[in-house]
Amino acid sequence: MSTQRTQRPGRAAVTGIGVVAPNGLTADAYWKSVREGLGVLDRITREGCEHLPLRVAGEVRSFEAADLIEERFLVQTDRFSHFAMAATVLALDDAGLGDVDPEEAYDIGVVTAAGSGGGEFGQRELQKLWGQGSRYVGPYQSIAWFYAASTGQISIRGGFKGPCGVVASDEAGGLDAVAHAARGVRRGTGVMVVGAAEAPLAPYSMVCQLAYPELSTVEDPDRAYRPFTKGACGFVPAEGGAMFVVEDERRARERGAAVRAVVAGHAATFTGASRWERSREGLAQAIRGALAEADCAPEEIDVVFADALGVPEADRAEALAIVDALGAHGTRVPVTAPKTGIGRAYCGAPLLDTAAAVLAMEHGQVPPTPNVFDICHDLDLVTSDARPAELRTALILSRGLMGSNAALVVRRGDSAR
């Protein structure tokens, strides 16, 4: 690949997208499902989870990590890193970036976000410790569970030696990671590989999540996750996520890459764990900050991808925050939450929304919000069917259970279809 610097860096462009999600193992498959409003939430089938009150989730099925990742990397990593590495392969291929020239390795960086790390790997090794003894614990236990494992393995596997990091700032960290990557590009790094993927459905991880009062334990997949409705009863978790290639826009055009979108603006705030009424103010402030950085008027937002927690107080706060920040336009702009069909993949959730936003702008369609019909908030929530629309600018929102809020503005690139 060629990433040589020829002039001062410009805007941060998205040139590659890789997706591993419950409803698709590529960006195209994911978009087809999202556009059709297909719901894939179902009963959890993971071994060791049968006795837990959490019954429904978005599982990534038919995923064969060995088809994309070498064995020597698989044995030292958890499922969440497998998802991230596989999505990275897809994103790099989509961007048209091949093997790294050793002279260019320092011009390529990696940043990921993580909410819980490698729970499945950690649980397995701890069971060996207590069941068989310390001699049976593998050496990779020290790294596979770690939040930064995906960043490290992606950079090692790809030979990337540029700026690398991990963002651990709640679910909203997914959007924060994109902003981190965009700033890296604007500071002069040629290419940033960025994203997040989660695998929170191992028994130990699920037991930890049961402490969240926002978690839905409804057993009917069609009713377990229904934000913005009177039947809202919390969220259901999901596996998976998305990875992106972000690079300098001018340089991308010089090498003939399609600019799929431009990262225009971002802002983040903090309002405290489960303080959903206060998240109204924090989220509105994040939206205003993102708009200001993007030099974007509220009326320019063509679609909003909502956080959609599924908790009545949180849903009300988000609906009000959108109107607080966008004014009257906030009640007219199309709003969508495709995650209701697949669940919330924690840090991976806003990245999947970002992928959907880019694809929606390319295809000129606002995807629907699965399983949601009886809206009880003053929002133009798109339901049932995709809505054709001229989409130039999208706003993606995310909030974390520990109190983080983030907003990201992306603009359409030149690859509209």
Side-chain angles (χ1 to χ4, degrees):
M1 70 175 72
S2 177
T3 59
Q4 293 298 319
R5 302 175 184 178
T6 57
Q7 49 189 320
R8 185 169 177 167
R11 301 191 300 176
V14 175
T15 57
I17 303 174
V19 170
V20 174
N23 61 346
L25 301 182
T26 66
D28 286 343
Y30 168 70
W31 170 248
K32 181 178 180 180
S33 177
V34 165
R35 181 191 62 207
E36 297 300 321
L38 301 180
V40 298
L41 297 179
D42 207 343
R43 298 296 292 265
I44 296 170
T45 62
R46 301 295 297 278
E47 184 179 356
C49 300
E50 302 84 0
H51 65 291
L52 298 175
L54 177 60
R55 303 293 189 183
V56 174
E59 289 188 31
V60 174
R61 305 174 191 271
S62 303
F63 173 76
E64 297 294 339
D67 291 343
L68 291 171
I69 305 165
E70 300 88 338
E71 177 65 20
R72 65 189 180 94
F73 289 103
L74 292 179
V75 297
Q76 50 187 290
T77 48
D78 179 79
R79 186 172 172 87
F80 92 109
S81 293
H82 298 170
F83 291 151
M85 287 190 285
T88 295
V89 172
L90 297 170
L92 290 169
D93 287 347
D94 185 44
L97 296 175
D99 295 333
V100 179
D101 186 323
E103 295 182 0
E104 299 171 341
Y106 291 95
D107 206 28
I108 307 170
V110 182
V111 59
T112 65
S116 59
E120 183 177 86
F121 196 108
Q123 175 178 337
R124 183 173 64 246
E125 296 304 307
L126 288 174
Q127 286 175 327
K128 291 179 181 178
L129 173 64
W130 295 108
Q132 299 173 272
S134 59
R135 293 183 179 182
Y136 291 87
V137 177
Y140 300 118
Q141 164 68 354
S142 61
I143 61 171
W145 69 269
F146 190 43
Y147 295 92
S150 295
T151 290
Q153 296 291 359
I154 290 168
S155 62
I156 292 169
R157 183 171 182 268
F160 307 143
K161 300 180 180 180
C164 292
V166 61
V167 177
S169 60
D170 231 346
E171 288 97 316
L175 298 186
D176 297 344
V178 175
H180 188 92
R183 292 184 189 116
V185 168
R186 290 195 289 268
R187 291 182 184 124
T189 301
V191 174
M192 292 294 295
V193 177
V194 58
E198 303 269 26
L201 301 185
Y204 168 76
S205 299
M206 289 174 58
V207 168
C208 293
Q209 292 169 76
L210 290 174
Y212 298 144
E214 296 87 357
L215 194 73
S216 171
T217 55
V218 172
E219 297 190 21
D220 182 350
D222 293 335
R223 296 180 178 275
Y225 185 22
R226 302 184 66 226
F228 303 116
T229 72
K230 293 181 179 179
C233 53
F235 74 93
V236 299
E239 298 181 303
M243 297 295 297
F244 301 84
V245 172
V246 176
E247 58 184 302
D248 175 69
E249 181 183 20
R250 287 193 294 262
R251 206 166 327 183
R253 296 188 187 281
E254 286 175 2
R255 70 177 185 86
V259 173
R260 304 192 69 168
V262 172
V263 180
H266 165 271
T269 62
F270 179 80
T271 47
S274 296
R275 297 180 179 180
W276 298 118
E277 289 187 5
R278 292 184 61 183
S279 75
R280 170 184 178 179
E281 178 184 357
L283 188 60
Q285 186 62 27
I287 294 171
R288 294 187 191 103
L291 294 176
E293 185 176 86
D295 192 21
C296 177
E299 295 76 19
E300 292 181 66
I301 297 299
D302 299 309
V303 60
V304 176
F305 282 76
D307 175 62
L309 187 63
V311 174
E313 299 89 341
D315 293 345
R316 180 176 184 274
E318 181 172 22
L320 293 172
I322 291 171
V323 176
D324 289 346
L326 301 184
H329 185 61
T331 63
R332 299 189 298 264
V333 63
V335 177
T336 184
K339 61 170 69 75
T340 62
I342 61 175
R344 291 171 66 94
Y346 294 99
C347 283
L351 275 304
L352 288 168
D353 280 346
T354 301
V358 174
L359 292 159
M361 290 190 292
E362 289 182 348
H363 291 272
Q365 291 181 301
V366 180
T369 306
N371 299 324
V372 173
F373 308 101
D374 51 330
I375 294 58
C376 61
H377 297 277
D378 191 13
L379 292 174
D380 182 16
L381 193 69
V382 178
T383 62
S384 300
D385 299 305
R387 182 186 301 177
E390 179 69 19
L391 304 176
R392 295 151 300 195
T393 306
L395 173 66
I396 302 105
L397 306 179
S398 182
R399 292 172 298 179
L401 298 177
M402 297 299 105
S404 296
N405 314 286
L408 182 73
V409 175
V410 292
R411 294 191 184 274
R412 189 176 68 194
D414 55 16
S415 57
R417 301 178 186 179

